[in-house]
Amino acid sequence: MSEQVRAAVRTRANTTEIQSFPMPEVPDDGALMKVEVAGICGTDVKLYSNPPSDDPVIMGHENIGYITKAGSQFMARKGVKEGDMVFVEHYVPCFKCEWCHKGEYRLCAGTDWRKNPDAIRYGYTPLKREPYLWGGFAEYMYLPWNAVLHKVPDGVSAELAGIVTPMANGIQWALFDCQVGYNSRVLIQGPGQQGLAQTVACKQAGASLIIITGTSKDRARLEVAKKLGADYTIIVDEEDPLERIMEITSREGVDVSLDCTAGAGTIPVLLGIEALKRKGGTLLIQGEMADFPNFPLGKIANKYITIKAARGHNYESCELALQQLASKRFPLELITTHRFGLKDTEWAIKSVGGQGEKDVIHVSLMPWM
């Protein structure tokens, strides 16, 4: 094993440098993972162009790899051994609070980088915190005693396992948070990796109608959506999406509207409100906007709409996502469209953001490629 670890470091906005770090010592309650795949999503695009701080960071929060060295306490506590392929959640929680006891590590203060300066979260934690390897855009990643691991099922490749995070989000947001189930009618806005994951989750849960929207630039993604279970696709810059939704639903509207767009502002929220059924629909929102002038609160109340916020995944949704990948029920390899090596990290991020390779859905960064 090399004494140095290469990593792609975001040194400032829109700037990456390949740097080397010392191979960390592994304590009895820690481990080291050789990174096989670090997935890149829309969050990475936003953090790359608009970092939350000036501190250098090894990004990468959708991480799959092999346990290469582990202490005896770590293996006993986690139920893993050296050589196992694992998915590591990006949350590094306290394991003491009420949220941790529920498996809701996304809500633990110990991993809340927005509020807690000492929080640890893979892909977000600054380099100033030893042993430095807190992100998947590196050859190896350090795993402390409180890392959250999931074994990757046999027969699932590292590249396919790389989409477990969006798949888990799909299960969390659509099924757990918005209660999509048998005979549900669902509107999914945005056919990126997250929207496609929602499509699979809703289809698996028994939704009777899945409508997914996109722009004229999303034609290839919308075709993939059909193969993954969408019943109708709508190109929003070529037809009136609300009128089309009402036509499809015999003017009854949908039960659930899931916003999986990026940078679309207030438009998806307003469309979702209008597209929901007369009473009792559920609206999933993203947290991209700091405020919403003239928010239609009266319509929310009149239509008796429940609002849910998209916020990561819990332990159970990750386990179910891995089972979904292993089931091979859906052609999920259609989502894993591009792969890049460590030296091409910036190009990989830009490709996800629509400024690089074409027809990108999910990118696999492979540090050893």
Side-chain angles (χ1 to χ4, degrees), residues 29 46 84 117 122 155 177 211-212 220 222 249 255 315 322 352:
D29 63 352
K46 289 181 284 188
D84 284 348
Y122 288 109
D177 295 341
I211 305 169
I212 186 165
L222 291 170
T249 63
D255 301 298
Y315 189 89
L322 286 166
V352 174

Side-chain angles (χ1 to χ4, degrees), residues 165-364:
T165 297
M167 286 301 306
N169 290 347
I171 293 168
Q172 181 72 51
W173 303 352
L175 310 192
F176 293 173
D177 295 341
C178 294
Q179 299 294 301
V180 171
Y182 182 75
N183 210 36
S184 295
R185 296 167 300 179
V186 185
L187 168 64
I188 300 169
Q189 298 188 65
Q193 55 186 273
Q194 195 55 74
L196 296 176
Q198 304 283 336
T199 301
V200 171
C202 293
K203 193 70 175 181
Q204 176 79 4
S208 59
L209 176 65
I210 300 173
I211 305 169
I212 186 165
T213 66
T215 69
S216 53
K217 295 180 180 179
D218 294 321
R219 293 185 191 279
R221 292 180 174 188
L222 291 170
E223 287 302 314
V224 172
K226 291 179 182 177
K227 294 175 182 177
L228 293 176
D231 298 293
Y232 294 91
T233 61
I234 299 173
I235 299 177
V236 297
D237 51 351
E238 293 184 357
E239 58 183 322
D240 182 333
L242 180 59
E243 183 57 36
R244 182 69 179 121
I245 292 164
M246 289 299 141
E247 178 185 338
I248 292 168
T249 63
S250 301
R251 312 209 74 79
E252 293 180 355
V254 296
D255 301 298
V256 175
S257 174
L258 304 167
D259 178 10
C260 298
T261 59
T266 62
I267 295 173
V269 178
L270 295 173
L271 175 59
I273 291 170
E274 296 296 333
L276 286 172
K277 60 188 180 181
R278 187 183 68 87
K279 300 286 183 183
T282 302
L283 178 72
L284 181 89
I285 61 171
Q286 299 287 341
E288 293 185 332
M289 295 173 292
D291 51 33
F292 194 140
N294 302 315
F295 183 73
L297 187 60
K299 186 161 286 188
I300 295 289
N302 182 265
K303 295 186 75 171
Y304 197 55
I305 292 171
T306 297
I307 299 177
K308 295 285 186 174
R311 179 61 57 220
H313 48 258
N314 66 13
Y315 189 89
E316 183 183 5
S317 62
C318 292
E319 286 290 304
L320 291 174
L322 286 166
Q323 292 174 28
Q324 184 71 72
L325 295 175
S327 75
K328 304 188 186 304
R329 181 181 178 192
F330 297 88
L332 295 172
E333 64 279 357
L334 295 174
I335 298 177
T336 59
T337 56
H338 291 70
R339 54 202 62 82
F340 298 90
L342 200 62
K343 63 181 176 59
D344 297 317
T345 297
E346 181 167 326
W347 186 243
I349 296 172
K350 287 184 175 180
S351 294
V352 174
Q355 299 177 322
E357 301 291 334
K358 303 300 182 185
D359 295 331
V360 170
I361 300 178
H362 186 270
V363 161
S364 300

Side-chain angles (χ1 to χ4, degrees), residues 16-36:
T16 292
E17 293 180 10
I18 303 299
Q19 299 182 9
S20 294
F21 300 89
M23 187 72 71
E25 294 292 326
V26 176
D28 197 45
D29 63 352
L32 198 64
M33 184 182 83
K34 181 181 180 183
V35 180
E36 290 294 310

Side-chain angles (χ1 to χ4, degrees), residues 36-229:
E36 290 294 310
V37 170
I40 299 179
C41 74
T43 300
D44 293 307
V45 176
K46 289 181 284 188
L47 291 175
Y48 191 62
S49 62
N50 187 25
S53 78
D54 295 329
D55 294 319
V57 169
I58 300 173
M59 295 175 63
H61 64 278
E62 300 182 355
N63 304 315
I64 306 294
Y66 291 97
I67 302 293
T68 56
K69 188 175 182 180
S72 59
Q73 278 189 42
F74 186 93
M75 290 189 287
R77 181 177 288 154
K78 305 297 182 182
V80 298
K81 63 184 184 299
E82 292 177 357
D84 284 348
M85 187 194 295
V86 296
F87 160 59
V88 181
E89 292 191 39
H90 53 298
Y91 314 118
V92 184
C94 72
F95 279 111
K96 296 182 291 186
C97 70
E98 60 174 318
W99 299 114
C100 286
H101 285 298
K102 295 177 181 178
E104 299 281 358
Y105 307 121
R106 59 192 170 137
L107 304 177
C108 172
T111 191
D112 187 355
W113 59 273
R114 294 177 179 86
K115 301 285 182 65
N116 180 3
D118 296 321
I120 302 178
R121 184 178 294 202
Y122 288 109
Y124 298 76
T125 300
L127 279 180
K128 60 187 178 184
R129 189 178 190 119
E130 295 184 4
Y132 315 117
L133 304 178
W134 298 110
F137 296 175
E139 293 172 330
Y140 290 90
M141 206 167 74
Y142 179 71
L143 308 180
W145 69 270
N146 50 340
V148 179
L149 276 59
H150 302 260
K151 286 186 182 180
V152 175
D154 292 340
V156 177
S157 68
E159 187 172 7
L160 187 59
I163 65 171
V164 68
T165 297
M167 286 301 306
N169 290 347
I171 293 168
Q172 181 72 51
W173 303 352
L175 310 192
F176 293 173
D177 295 341
C178 294
Q179 299 294 301
V180 171
Y182 182 75
N183 210 36
S184 295
R185 296 167 300 179
V186 185
L187 168 64
I188 300 169
Q189 298 188 65
Q193 55 186 273
Q194 195 55 74
L196 296 176
Q198 304 283 336
T199 301
V200 171
C202 293
K203 193 70 175 181
Q204 176 79 4
S208 59
L209 176 65
I210 300 173
I211 305 169
I212 186 165
T213 66
T215 69
S216 53
K217 295 180 180 179
D218 294 321
R219 293 185 191 279
R221 292 180 174 188
L222 291 170
E223 287 302 314
V224 172
K226 291 179 182 177
K227 294 175 182 177
L228 293 176

